[in-house]
């Protein structure tokens, strides 16, 4: 296929990417045929997946607005993905906040290239190419050290990403690696795929597709998600279904009432 002008030269057009598949679920246009084909296979057996992606995006909006209202002005968006409407810096601007600082981190070259193009010249923002699974390496990036003040609270955003980290890579240590670097009053914003009941046949088929993909997906229960937080203190209502975290009207309830994801915002005291 012809390479789009916006695609970096080293991107494999035939290999689906988590970030670009997620972009397709959200109705975005920065994805390739391989991403769309994989997404359509999943949607064929579980149409609710697109709604789940939107639910995660709505949770991100609510969490950012809540923390901004509490005075948090620094955000590190880990696994930020393809730029789309409602980026963190846009949410801060919409809230009338002019002194916010936001760093976007992703390992997908398309996500990084687009983020840099969109944010060129936007004050208080930076884009970093990095693997969120290596907190020390990510946090050592000059752009992060230059823009963020680690003596002040930071919100570490891990939205819809840790379910791609298997247990053997110790996701709780990843969370701790970021939280430890933050000053008291910092927060971790986390959403995660998983359920506390048996999978339906459609869910089992969709999960199997991800298990066989280049980036297998790990489902975790609410109890397992809570365990990722270590000694962080969850804000009310704790670990709940994604659409139930402080709903304000922009959330999307599961069409069949069966939530397959959870969310939490936790504070470092």
């Amino acid at each position: 296929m012809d390479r789009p002008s916006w695609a970096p030269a080293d991107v494999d057009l035939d290999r689906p990417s988590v970030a670009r598949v997620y972009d397709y679920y959200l109705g975005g246009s920065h994805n390739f045929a391989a991403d769309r084909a994989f997404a359509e296979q999943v949607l064929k057996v579980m149409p609710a997946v697109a709604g789940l992606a939107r639910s995660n995006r709505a949770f991100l909006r609510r969490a950012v607005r809540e923390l901004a209202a509490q005075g948090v002005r620094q955000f590190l968006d880990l696994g930020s993905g393809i730029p789309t409407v409602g980026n963190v810096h846009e949410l801060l601007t919409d809230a009338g906040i002019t002194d916010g600082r936001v760093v976007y981190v992703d390992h997908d070259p398309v996500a990084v290239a687009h983020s840099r193009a969109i944010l060129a010249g936007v004050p208080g923002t930076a884009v970093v190419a990095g693997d969120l699974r290596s907190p020390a390496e990510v946090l050592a990036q000059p752009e992060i050290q230059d823009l963020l003040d680690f003596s002040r609270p930071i919100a570490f955003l891990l939205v819809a990403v840790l379910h791609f980290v298997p247990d053997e890579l110790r996701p709780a240590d990843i969370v701790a690696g970021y939280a430890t670097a933050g000053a008291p009053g910092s927060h971790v914003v986390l959403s995660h795929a998983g359920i506390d009941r048996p999978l339906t046949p459609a869910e089992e088929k969709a999960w199997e597709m991800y298990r066989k993909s280049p980036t297998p997906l790990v489902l975790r229960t609410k109890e397992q998600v809570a365990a990722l937080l270590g000694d962080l203190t969850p804000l009310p209502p704790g670990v709940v279904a994604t659409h139930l975290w402080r709903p304000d009207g922009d959330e999307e309830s599961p069409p069949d009432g069966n939530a397959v994801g959870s969310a939490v915002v936790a504070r470092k005291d």
Side-chain angles (χ1 to χ4, degrees), residues 200-243:
T200 66
E203 290 164 352
E204 182 63 51
K205 288 181 181 178
W207 188 31
E208 183 64 22
M209 289 179 186
Y210 270 102
R211 280 200 301 245
K212 294 178 178 179
S213 76
T215 47
L217 185 144
V218 180
L219 299 178
R220 294 187 174 96
T221 65
K222 291 185 181 67
E223 182 178 355
Q224 290 171 323
V225 170
L228 300 178
L229 301 173
D231 59 1
L232 299 174
T233 302
L235 303 185
V239 182
V240 296
T242 307
H243 69 289

Side-chain angles (χ1 to χ4, degrees), residues 26-207:
L26 291 171
S29 59
H30 297 121
N31 44 73
F32 304 139
D35 308 308
R36 296 189 287 273
F38 178 82
E40 286 296 337
Q41 287 180 328
V42 175
L43 291 169
K44 185 175 181 179
V45 299
M46 192 178 169
V49 167
L52 297 173
R54 292 191 296 270
S55 182
N56 269 292
R57 199 70 189 176
F59 162 68
L60 171 67
R61 291 194 292 269
R62 298 196 303 277
V64 169
R65 290 169 182 162
E66 174 64 28
L67 294 180
Q70 294 184 22
V72 178
R73 293 294 182 267
Q74 302 187 110
F75 295 81
L76 183 60
D77 192 350
L78 299 150
S80 52
I82 302 291
T84 188
V85 175
N87 281 312
V88 178
H89 71 282
E90 294 175 329
L91 296 172
L92 298 178
T93 299
D94 291 345
I97 294 170
T98 59
D99 59 344
R101 299 180 180 184
V102 183
V103 181
Y104 298 96
V105 180
D106 208 285
H107 67 92
D108 184 284
V110 172
V112 172
H114 270 283
S115 296
R116 286 176 173 161
I118 288 174
L119 297 177
V122 177
T125 66
V127 181
V128 168
D131 189 334
L132 66 86
R133 296 173 299 180
S134 302
E137 294 180 13
V138 168
L139 294 172
Q141 295 270 14
E143 298 93 333
I144 292 177
Q145 291 295 320
D146 291 344
L147 189 61
L148 301 184
D149 179 356
F150 283 82
S151 69
R152 298 171 52 224
I154 298 172
F156 300 98
L157 310 180
L158 290 159
V159 176
V161 290
L162 286 183
H163 43 235
F164 295 111
V165 178
D167 290 340
E168 55 265 30
L169 293 184
R170 304 177 68 87
D173 289 351
I174 294 173
V175 175
Y178 291 108
T180 300
S186 294
H187 292 74
V188 168
V189 176
L190 191 159
S191 67
H192 199 295
I195 51 177
D196 292 76
R197 56 168 173 78
L199 294 173
T200 66
E203 290 164 352
E204 182 63 51
K205 288 181 181 178
W207 188 31

